[in-house]
């Protein structure tokens, strides 16, 4: 092996690989902050979109309930009360029997549900649930058949206090085993006198389970009512964040922004704030549902940083793969180059040797030719019987001379070896003249 060529090729390969590594490393360092910033911006955008979706879904659920209770209140007196309640509840019952609404009823001025009340023990066609299905649902909701509060006098009081009020969304209320809230519409006679109200009662846990939880896997999330009662907190980070949010006196401002936002046609207000919690610093993103509820997502600074680190790791992996690919290509090229260089050196050595060999053979041929001619001249005078042998020798000398000419052409680079065939285990070659530029083959 030619060590000089090996050192040259190896140095070339290392320089190319090192240069590529420097370019990739420089790009990584240069783009590091930009990538982190872009990853964080994209993540915040995703969180914002998810919160916007939850805000819209909760807003729609709230207004669907307000609309249905309002419609029911207008039909009271002209439609069977129990049938009206059942038909309204049917729209909220899922095929498997569970419902986002615990029950709907008409309450009188005494704050008590009237006999036509309907609890969520019917399916979406209005038929009574099978006993086995009821038993299954009651394992998780033992209050299923009797979800009612002791009194709904607070609903009557709210409508008596404001005669022009056309709907109510209550704060969260403690009930056995869960927190509930009530959505109601006033029932008034033709003269505007209050006769009662139509209510729908919901569990905040069930609302979270049906609307938010499917898209909140692994998310630290909390829901709070207008009084600061925490309805849902998915983990300890969410609990700490909700406590800090309430202590910061941000809740009244957020609800005021929510009322103002609804007046301009929005679902509620939005905002965010940095928080210092026992778990470390965190970023809070929140949305209001008008001025009734606040739903929020909180992320620790460490977790947020991991979003950018994932992007950096991906970029680093791509860069490393690119570098390895380039190194492999460079190594392949270097090996091919060294092989070609080795063949060129071998070819040059062969040419030098063939030049020396042809020179030595030609000198000997000159002597043989001269001696052969002299013998032919002398023998021709005495005995002509050896003339054919001398002619054969002369032809052999010409063949040797032709071979020497080919060796000289090879040594001078005027011809190349060309594969000519196989004779047993030996490869046969012939010479092909080297074409000059402009010559035809």
């Amino acid at each position: 092996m030619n060590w000089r060529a090996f050192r040259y090729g190896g140095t070339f390969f290392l320089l190319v690989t090192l240069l590529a590594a420097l370019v990739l490393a420089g790009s990584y360092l240069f783009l590091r902050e930009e990538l982190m910033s872009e990853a964080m911006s994209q993540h915040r955008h995703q969180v914002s979109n998810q919160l916007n979706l939850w805000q819209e879904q909760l807003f729609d659920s709230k207004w669907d309930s307000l609309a249905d209770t309002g419609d029911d209140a207008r039909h009271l007196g002209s439609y069977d009360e129990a049938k009206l309640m059942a038909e309204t509840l049917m729209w909220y019952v899922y095929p498997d029997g569970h419902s986002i609404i615990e029950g709907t009823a008409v309450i009188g001025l005494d704050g008590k549900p009237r006999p036509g009340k309907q609890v969520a023990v019917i399916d979406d066609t209005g038929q009574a649930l099978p006993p086995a299905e009821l038993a299954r649902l009651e394992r998780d909701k033992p209050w299923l058949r009797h979800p009612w509060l002791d009194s709904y006098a607070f609903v009557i009081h709210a409508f008596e206090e404001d005669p022009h009020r056309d709907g109510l969304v209550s704060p969260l209320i403690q009930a056995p085993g869960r927190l509930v809230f009530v959505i109601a519409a006033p029932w008034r006679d033709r003269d505007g006198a209050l006769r009662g109200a139509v209510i729908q009662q919901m569990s905040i846990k069930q609302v979270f389970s049906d609307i938010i939880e499917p898209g909140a896997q692994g998310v630290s999330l909390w829901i709070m009512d207008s009084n600061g009662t925490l309805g849902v907190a998915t983990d300890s980070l969410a609990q700490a964040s909700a406590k800090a949010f309430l202590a910061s006196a941000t809740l009244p401002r957020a609800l005021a922004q929510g009322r103002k936002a609804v007046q301009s046609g929005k679902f509620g207000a939005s905002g965010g704030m940095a928080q210092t919690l026992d778990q470390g610093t965190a970023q809070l993103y929140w949305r209001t549902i008008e001025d009734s509820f606040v739903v929020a997502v909180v992320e620790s600074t460490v977790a947020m940083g991991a979003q950018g680190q994932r992007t950096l790791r991906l970029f680093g992996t791509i860069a490393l793969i690119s570098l390895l690919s380039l190194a492999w290509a460079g190594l392949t090229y270097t090996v091919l180059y060294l092989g070609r260089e080795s063949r060129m050196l071998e070819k040059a050595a062969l040419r030098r040797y063939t030049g020396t060999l042809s020179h030595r053979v030609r000198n000997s041929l000159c002597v043989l030719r001269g001696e052969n001619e002299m013998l032919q001249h002398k023998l021709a005078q005495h005995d002509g019987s050896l003339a054919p042998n001398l002619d054969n020798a002369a032809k052999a000398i010409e063949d040797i001379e032709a071979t020497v000419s080919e060796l000289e052409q090879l040594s001078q680079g005027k011809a190349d070896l060309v594969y000519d065939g196989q004779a047993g285990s030996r490869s046969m070659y012939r010479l092909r003249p080297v074409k000059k530029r402009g010559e035809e083959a």
Side-chain angles (χ1 to χ4, degrees), residues 83 89 134 162 164 191-192 197 280 287 343 377:
K83 186 177 180 181
L89 187 60
L134 276 174
D162 183 359
H164 300 289
D191 297 327
R287 298 290 187 274
R343 289 191 298 271
H377 178 70

Side-chain angles (χ1 to χ4, degrees), residues 58 111 121 134 141 164 167 230 243 286 334 337 391:
L58 291 172
V121 293
L134 276 174
K141 297 183 285 187
H164 300 289
L230 185 61
K243 183 178 179 181
W286 52 264
T334 302
Y337 166 79
D391 289 339

Side-chain angles (χ1 to χ4, degrees), residues 235-368:
D235 54 27
S236 59
L237 180 64
Q239 291 176 343
S241 171
K243 183 178 179 181
F245 180 81
L246 190 61
S248 68
T250 306
L251 178 61
R253 295 196 300 272
L255 296 176
Q257 293 173 13
R259 285 191 293 272
K260 186 176 180 181
V262 171
Q263 294 173 3
S264 60
K266 299 179 181 179
F267 302 120
S270 62
M273 58 188 296
Q275 293 183 309
T276 302
L277 310 175
D278 293 340
Q279 294 88 338
T281 58
Q283 180 65 39
L284 177 70
Y285 310 92
W286 52 264
R287 298 290 187 274
T288 70
I289 315 306
E290 290 191 291
D291 59 350
S292 302
F293 296 98
V294 178
V295 57
V297 169
V298 59
E299 293 184 302
S300 68
T301 303
V302 174
M304 292 176 66
Q307 300 292 331
Q309 289 297 330
R310 279 195 290 270
T311 302
L312 285 177
R313 284 195 295 270
L314 178 60
F315 177 75
T317 301
I318 294 173
L320 181 59
I321 293 173
S322 300
L323 178 60
L324 292 176
S325 300
L326 186 59
W328 176 255
L331 180 61
T332 302
Y333 172 80
T334 302
V335 170
L336 293 175
Y337 166 79
L338 290 175
R340 182 186 174 200
E341 185 69 15
S342 178
R343 289 191 298 271
M344 292 294 291
L345 291 173
E346 290 174 358
K347 189 174 182 180
L350 178 61
R351 284 176 174 173
R352 288 194 298 272
Y353 175 70
T354 54
T356 302
L357 181 62
S358 63
H359 179 71
R360 291 171 60 188
V361 173
R362 185 173 291 280
N363 289 338
S364 300
L365 277 175
C366 289
V367 175
L368 288 174

Side-chain angles (χ1 to χ4, degrees), residues 110-250:
D110 59 356
K112 301 291 184 180
R114 290 158 61 96
K117 62 183 181 292
Q118 177 66 58
V119 296
V121 293
I122 58 174
D123 61 21
D124 56 349
T125 65
Q127 300 299 313
L129 291 175
E133 192 70 23
L134 276 174
R136 181 185 67 81
L137 292 173
E138 282 187 301
R139 284 197 295 269
D140 294 328
K141 297 183 285 187
W143 53 83
L144 179 67
R145 298 173 190 264
H146 305 284
W148 310 111
L149 302 178
D150 293 337
S151 174
Y152 295 92
F154 62 91
V155 175
I156 300 300
H157 176 72
F159 289 129
E160 287 178 337
E161 190 178 50
D162 183 359
H164 300 289
R165 186 168 193 159
D166 57 2
L168 169 71
V169 180
S170 78
L172 294 174
I173 303 166
Q174 185 66 56
R178 80 273 189 212
L179 288 169
V180 300
F181 62 98
V182 175
I183 294 179
W187 175 29
R188 304 181 190 276
D189 61 20
R190 293 182 178 180
D191 297 327
L194 186 67
R195 298 182 61 184
V198 178
I199 66 167
Q200 290 184 356
Q201 182 171 302
M202 302 185 191
S203 162
I204 190 64
K205 182 179 178 181
Q206 191 66 53
V207 171
F208 169 77
S209 175
D210 289 347
I211 296 178
I212 296 178
E213 190 172 28
Q217 300 301 317
V219 175
S220 297
L221 177 145
W222 54 261
I223 301 175
M224 183 180 294
D225 71 2
S226 57
N227 287 344
T229 302
L230 185 61
V232 173
T234 57
D235 54 27
S236 59
L237 180 64
Q239 291 176 343
S241 171
K243 183 178 179 181
F245 180 81
L246 190 61
S248 68
T250 306

